[in-house]
Amino acid sequence: MVVVMNNIVQWAVVWILCGDQLCQANQYPDPRLVVLGSTGVGKSSLANVLVGRPHNYGGGIFRKGCFKVQSGSEAVTKATCADKANWLGNSSAPRFTVVDTPGFGEDIREENVHVKNMVNRFKNDLQYVHVFVILFKQTDNRMTAALWNMLNMFQTMFGPDFWKNAILEATHWSYSPRLTKIRQDGGMTEDIWAKQFNERLQKDFKFEFDLPAIFIDTFHNRKNREEVEKFQQNVDYLWKFGQSRLESPFWCTDIQLALSDISLLTDKVKDLEEENERKTREIENLNKTVVVYNQTVQENIRQGNVAPPTPEPVSSCNGSFSTAEFVLFIVGAFVLGILGTSFVLMWIINLRRISEKDEDPSDSDEENEVKQ
């Protein structure tokens, strides 16, 4: 009930602001789908297919690369562009709006410009969005730093509530028999892919519900019945999801200008580099000052205005010996060594003499016994 009342208030605000004239936001039929993703993931290709154009559409009348598809990883779309058409180009189908956006994760400076343009377009032109289609390549089964940074920037810019209107799209998910078998042999299915991404997103961005996932292959073989059926199933799911958000769109009035973490770090590095250059210039100026000072001192010495500095005598360390003292020490040690050796020799000789005297009486006693 609260959600319904909030939506009524939002629509009333738009109606009051528009007055009797056709509000600019009402120029875009509902539902309104915005495709988001990194450079080269296939945003423009998906947008073209949803309006009934070829997946490799060359851009036509659109400017700044909007809806233009070309091979390679270089970013083509340079602006946030909206297009209105019948669903899948079928004239009997309802009309809707699809918004193509620039890719993220390539050039930091261009990325900041893209973010500013996107915020301005969403707030002042579209005003509300029903579905954010977040595209990943099917091979992006792990969250890289670039992908995480992109999603973190989206959450910072749109706020955590934008996840309620988000749906995941795995691009390049071919349903050809050969590629389907390769995925099956590798243990990868639609459910496993969606589960892996939801677990990581819920952990990193703190929401507690599973995002739905679609697998629209814009390059599907239109002569293969299985691929055509899978394509139709996934686009039907996307349309139903958009219809389910008609009463609860995401209002863009409160979105904030957000810069990516990489951009902030880049600005910090730039500031540090400028500070380093400033310190280097200061050191160079100080070195020049020292050189000029030395030259001035030398010039004054030559002119006799200043006495040359006299070197202070180097004093010996306390407790060290002079050469004469060292020689006397060696001689004294030598003499003491000789005296000590003599004393030991004399002591040994006296001991031998004493022992010989002790043995003489016994020898004389033996001689007297023989004589008797």
Side-chain angles (χ1 to χ4, degrees):
M1 184 66 180
V2 175
V3 175
V4 174
M5 290 300 298
N6 183 55
N7 290 331
I8 293 174
V9 171
Q10 295 274 21
W11 285 112
V13 170
V14 173
W15 182 81
I16 293 172
L17 292 175
C18 291
D20 295 332
Q21 298 178 353
L22 181 62
C23 183
Q24 187 175 8
N26 290 338
Q27 296 179 5
Y28 301 104
D30 298 337
R32 303 176 184 186
L33 282 62
V34 174
V35 290
L36 300 170
S38 56
T39 299
V41 75
K43 298 184 300 298
S44 297
S45 179
L46 175 63
N48 286 324
V49 169
L50 294 180
V51 298
R53 288 192 292 260
H55 63 82
N56 57 350
Y57 179 67
I61 62 173
F62 297 97
R63 301 170 58 189
K64 297 184 179 180
C66 291
F67 302 100
K68 181 179 180 179
V69 178
Q70 69 179 30
S71 60
S73 58
E74 182 180 356
V76 179
T77 304
K78 303 293 184 180
T80 301
C81 313
D83 192 15
K84 301 163 286 185
N86 298 95
W87 184 249
L88 300 181
N90 186 349
S91 59
S92 61
R95 290 176 62 79
F96 77 108
T97 302
V98 63
V99 181
D100 192 14
T101 60
F104 292 87
E106 190 176 59
D107 186 275
I108 299 300
R109 293 180 180 179
E110 286 192 0
E111 183 174 297
N112 293 337
V113 176
H114 297 336
V115 170
K116 294 177 182 178
N117 293 336
M118 183 185 298
V119 170
N120 180 65
R121 189 70 186 273
F122 284 4
K123 293 180 70 171
N124 301 320
D125 192 13
L126 289 171
Q127 297 188 0
Y128 60 90
V129 174
H130 296 99
V131 180
F132 293 97
V133 186
I134 306 176
L135 282 70
F136 302 95
K137 289 183 179 179
Q138 68 140 350
T139 53
D140 294 334
N141 50 12
R142 292 186 297 174
M143 186 69 68
T144 63
L147 289 177
W148 189 95
N149 183 69
M150 178 190 70
L151 294 173
N152 184 59
M153 183 175 59
F154 290 159
Q155 177 166 280
T156 304
M157 181 167 56
F158 298 128
D161 286 341
F162 103 99
W163 294 109
K164 298 177 182 178
N165 293 74
I167 187 171
L168 306 178
E169 152 67 356
T171 62
H172 304 281
W173 190 284
S174 174
Y175 284 98
S176 68
R178 183 178 66 86
L179 294 179
T180 300
K181 186 177 185 306
I182 291 175
R183 283 197 304 271
Q184 291 175 348
D185 292 342
M188 180 58 66
T189 64
E190 291 92 333
D191 291 339
I192 293 176
W193 188 91
K195 180 181 179 182
Q196 288 179 349
F197 259 96
N198 271 295
E199 288 177 350
R200 181 61 188 270
L201 292 173
Q202 291 170 12
K203 177 181 177 182
D204 290 349
F205 301 104
K206 313 303 180 186
F207 59 87
E208 298 178 350
F209 52 90
D210 288 340
L211 301 180
I214 52 177
F215 303 85
I216 300 174
D217 179 19
T218 58
F219 291 81
H220 70 281
N221 182 1
R222 290 166 174 77
K223 296 180 180 180
N224 186 298
R225 186 173 59 86
E226 177 70 17
E227 294 185 44
V228 172
E229 289 179 356
K230 289 293 185 180
F231 172 81
Q232 193 62 48
Q233 290 175 9
N234 282 281
V235 293
D236 287 347
Y237 189 96
L238 176 59
W239 177 258
K240 291 178 181 178
F241 182 77
Q243 292 294 310
S244 70
R245 296 300 185 270
L246 289 178
E247 300 300 325
S248 56
F250 176 84
W251 289 88
C252 305
T253 53
D254 296 328
I255 63 176
Q256 302 295 323
L257 177 62
L259 300 180
S260 66
D261 292 344
I262 295 176
S263 177
L264 295 176
L265 291 175
T266 302
D267 293 339
K268 187 174 182 180
V269 169
K270 183 179 179 180
D271 293 339
L272 291 175
E273 289 177 347
E274 292 177 353
E275 179 69 13
N276 182 57
E277 292 177 359
R278 187 177 66 83
K279 295 292 185 183
T280 301
R281 287 193 298 269
E282 290 181 0
I283 292 173
E284 291 176 352
N285 292 332
L286 290 173
N287 287 333
K288 291 178 181 179
T289 302
V290 171
V291 171
V292 172
Y293 174 78
N294 288 334
Q295 291 175 349
T296 303
V297 171
Q298 294 297 327
E299 183 64 24
N300 288 328
I301 292 174
R302 283 195 297 271
Q303 294 177 1
N305 297 330
V306 178
T310 56
E312 295 181 0
V314 179
S315 59
S316 60
C317 299
N318 295 331
S320 61
F321 296 103
S322 64
T323 304
E325 290 174 341
F326 183 73
V327 171
L328 290 174
F329 174 77
I330 296 298
V331 172
F334 180 71
V335 172
L336 289 174
I338 293 175
L339 291 177
T341 302
S342 300
F343 176 77
V344 172
L345 290 174
M346 292 177 65
W347 182 66
I348 293 173
I349 292 172
N350 287 334
L351 286 177
R352 292 179 118 185
R353 287 179 179 176
I354 293 171
S355 61
E356 287 177 357
K357 286 181 180 182
D358 291 338
E359 292 175 357
D360 287 344
S362 61
D363 293 341
S364 60
D365 292 341
E366 289 177 358
E367 290 177 357
N368 289 334
E369 288 177 1
V370 172
K371 287 180 181 182
Q372 292 177 357

